[in-house]
Amino acid sequence: MNIKKGDTVQIMTGKDAGKKGKVIRAIPADKKIVIEGANRAKRHSRPTRALPQGGILQIEQPLDVSNVMLVCSKCKKPTRTGKKILDNDQKVRVCKRCGEVLD
């Protein structure tokens, strides 16, 4: 999986296509990610001690990683990523459009 927590991604397919957001959580075992403010579902909650008023909550649901693309911080466009080994033997992600190091 080439997307990590904290990355900015753009959703390419589905009801939220075109939206950009920050990755809140990555789930590599299922190849899913949770994006801030996208793929929201309504959840009906009873009043509890933690949430005394209860009500209808909107929570972000996991989205398949194949439906998003990483946004490069330099060229500000969705891009594919490549791998590159630096001089100090560190493996980093690289933007396929402009060649910028993403890590």
Side-chain angles (χ1 to χ4, degrees):
M1 208 163 82
N2 62 347
I3 295 176
K4 300 176 182 176
K5 179 180 176 179
D7 286 343
T8 302
V9 294
Q10 182 172 346
I11 301 173
M12 304 308 284
T13 60
K15 66 179 181 181
D16 292 327
K19 282 188 181 178
K20 290 183 182 178
K22 188 176 178 182
V23 176
I24 299 171
R25 187 167 60 123
I27 311 165
D30 298 332
K31 294 194 176 181
K32 293 187 181 281
I33 56 174
V34 178
I35 303 169
E36 186 176 38
N39 199 28
R40 293 182 146 211
K42 292 190 178 191
R43 169 98 185 187
H44 297 263
S45 176
R46 279 204 159 128
T48 62
R49 287 181 187 232
L51 191 68
Q53 75 275 11
I56 302 170
L57 306 174
Q58 286 196 346
I59 56 171
E60 289 93 3
Q61 296 293 313
L63 190 67
D64 200 270
V65 77
S66 65
N67 296 335
V68 300
M69 286 185 82
L70 188 65
V71 175
C72 177
S73 57
K74 183 180 177 187
C75 57
K76 305 287 188 222
K77 294 181 181 175
T79 183
R80 293 177 295 128
T81 58
K83 301 283 185 185
K84 185 177 181 182
I85 299 176
L86 300 177
D87 295 334
N88 58 357
D89 294 332
Q90 184 183 6
K91 190 187 271 190
V92 292
R93 295 178 298 168
V94 180
C95 172
K96 286 279 192 173
R97 285 182 186 255
C98 63
E100 179 75 13
V101 175
L102 297 171
D103 287 333

